[in-house]
Amino acid sequence: SQTIHQWPATLVQPVGSPLSLECTVEGTSNPNLYWYRQAAGRGLQLLFYSVGIGQISSEVPQNLSASRPQDRQFILSSKKLLLSDSGFYLCAWSGLGGEKLFFGSGTQLSVL
Amino acid sequence: SQQGEEDPQALSIQEGENATMNCSYKTSINNLQWYRQNSGRGLVHLILIRSNEREKHSGRLRVTLDTSKKSSSLLITASRAADTASYFCATPPQGGSEKLVFGKGTKLTVNP
């Protein structure tokens, strides 16, 4: 069966520090991968999605970047965090056709 | 841009009552999906209804879709305290099947 792992669960970082969030999927090949951000009490904002290794589409211009170094690995990064980067980050995957999304458990990021 | 909009933003009911949440969207769709999110957790896919379907059932869940009104409803019958969560509708934007756009969600509280 397929599983998705996302870590860490919580993270507190100072303004200006770098960020690396990692997400891996097991039990499937060539998944579509997604990073979403959810502000407190708000809906989900799609940040990046990837349909293959090295193929990244950015939905929102911002302080973040994403990379997909391996088929089932998706990394969200920042060189210098801003206060506005705080939020709940969710990784997700879908199969071919991209209909149903399967989400990780999320990372609560607080930038202070 | 936001595609789906849930209504109401918050709903509080007693155990055993039915809960109805609505979703309106703006453009033509191939399908509409409902997800559930427990506090501080990732989203879980509940049900997908295609544009050529009018109603779909899954256990205590009933979803309807009215493409002429660009709206959908999620009905949870005989609610339980464990149904307390936020519920989101999601649609793929027109012409793009790889990514889902989520609404802001309805926060449902079921009181025991």
Side-chain angles (χ1 to χ4, degrees):
Chain A
S1 63
Q2 301 91 355
T3 55
I4 179 169
H5 303 279
Q6 184 182 344
W7 67 93
T10 59
L11 191 59
V12 180
Q13 291 285 96
V15 170
S17 63
L19 173 73
S20 181
L21 301 181
E22 189 164 342
C23 172
T24 60
V25 180
E26 296 178 357
T28 188
S29 297
N30 197 29
N32 294 336
L33 296 171
Y34 308 80
W35 279 110
Y36 284 86
R37 177 170 61 197
Q38 185 177 31
R42 301 291 300 276
L44 277 72
Q45 179 186 36
L46 179 61
L47 301 176
F48 301 96
Y49 74 96
S50 171
V51 298
I53 295 175
Q55 299 178 61
I56 310 293
S57 295
S58 173
E59 291 297 300
V60 183
Q62 61 211 321
N63 187 41
L64 303 170
S65 63
S67 62
R68 183 169 178 174
Q70 300 180 44
D71 180 44
R72 290 169 287 177
Q73 183 184 28
F74 206 24
I75 297 171
L76 182 69
S77 303
S78 173
K79 292 182 179 177
K80 288 186 178 182
L81 284 169
L82 306 172
L83 288 173
S84 57
D85 291 324
S86 294
F88 191 53
Y89 288 82
L90 287 159
C91 180
W93 74 273
S94 68
L96 276 178
E99 287 190 335
K100 185 190 303 185
L101 289 185
F102 300 90
F103 284 85
S105 55
T107 295
Q108 183 64 54
L109 172 66
S110 299
V111 182
L112 305 177
Chain B
S1 61
Q2 191 168 312
Q3 166 76 317
E5 186 89 25
E6 292 90 346
D7 170 64
Q9 292 185 0
L11 180 62
S12 182
I13 59 174
Q14 296 299 123
E15 223 170 12
E17 295 180 340
N18 295 341
T20 299
M21 289 157 270
N22 303 297
C23 170
S24 59
Y25 58 92
K26 297 174 184 174
T27 63
S28 298
I29 58 171
N30 294 324
N31 68 74
L32 185 143
Q33 303 175 39
W34 285 91
Y35 289 78
R36 165 194 168 126
Q37 182 182 33
N38 285 14
S39 181
R41 307 288 295 177
L43 281 73
V44 175
H45 182 269
L46 293 176
I47 196 164
L48 181 153
I49 186 166
R50 300 193 184 281
S51 58
N52 61 353
E53 298 176 306
R54 291 296 167 259
E55 188 171 311
K56 202 163 183 178
H57 297 255
S58 177
R60 293 184 295 112
L61 305 181
R62 173 183 167 236
V63 170
T64 62
L65 180 64
D66 187 335
T67 54
S68 66
K69 295 181 179 178
K70 291 187 170 58
S71 67
S72 172
S73 67
L74 170 66
L75 168 68
I76 304 175
T77 59
S79 64
R80 306 165 181 168
D83 295 327
T84 294
S86 291
Y87 293 82
F88 296 85
C89 67
T91 55
Q94 195 171 21
S97 63
E98 291 87 12
K99 49 188 181 180
L100 286 182
V101 179
F102 288 80
K104 294 181 180 180
T106 292
K107 187 170 184 178
L108 172 66
T109 302
V110 181
N111 301 298

